[in-house]
């Protein structure tokens, strides 16, 4: 019984580390907004959020987010959610927009 308790506690504690990510550098900025992962958002200034509703497929929602991120002048964006609504074929997507790294941080 004692070993089962220690095993359960060990598994629980090791599972908590799965929710932490190691920060990674985002890709170099380009003319168009780029999708990044959560690990790449560390230190980037948030510009806001963006939501769209699109008829079609999840790919259509992703393309619409990318186009609107470009229009908003965002350097990067990260998807928060892509989901089909109660109406079949109508997709809803939300993304967070980010700017470029501040100049002081890029020189380090």
């Amino acid at each position: 019984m004692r070993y089962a308790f220690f095993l359960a506690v060990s598994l629980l504690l090791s599972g908590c580390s799965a929710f932490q990510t190691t920060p990674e550098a985002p890709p170099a900025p380009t003319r168009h907004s780029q999708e990044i992962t959560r690990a790449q958002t560390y230190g980037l200034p948030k510009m806001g959020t963006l939501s769209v509703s699109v008829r079609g497929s999840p790919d259509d929602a992703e393309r619409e987010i990318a186009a609107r991120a470009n229009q908003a002048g965002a350097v990067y964006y990260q998807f928060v959610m892509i989901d089909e609504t109660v109406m079949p074929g109508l997709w809803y997507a939300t993304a967070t927009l980010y700017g470029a790294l501040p100049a002081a941080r890029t020189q380090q």
Side-chain angles (χ1 to χ4, degrees):
M1 184 68 179
R2 180 180 232 167
Y3 294 112
F5 173 75
F6 286 120
L7 178 64
V9 169
S10 297
L11 290 174
L12 180 66
L13 292 176
S14 66
C16 292
S17 66
F19 295 113
Q20 294 180 344
T21 58
T22 303
E24 297 175 12
T30 62
R31 293 183 323 143
H32 300 288
S33 298
Q34 301 177 63
E35 181 184 355
I36 57 174
T37 64
R38 186 172 74 105
Q40 294 171 320
T41 63
Y42 178 75
L44 294 175
K46 287 186 182 179
M47 295 178 57
T49 58
L50 185 64
S51 299
V52 297
S53 292
V54 179
R55 287 207 175 275
S57 69
D59 292 336
D60 295 326
E62 289 179 10
R63 281 190 289 273
E64 185 66 23
I65 287 282
R68 290 198 186 175
N70 282 329
Q71 290 174 354
V75 179
Y76 306 107
Y77 61 92
Q78 178 202 6
F79 284 105
V80 176
M81 179 192 72
I82 300 175
D83 195 17
E84 192 170 24
T85 62
V86 289
M87 295 180 58
L90 185 62
W91 290 85
Y92 179 78
T94 305
T96 304
L97 305 179
Y98 294 93
L101 280 171
R105 293 192 67 136
T106 56
Q107 294 175 356
Q108 293 179 354

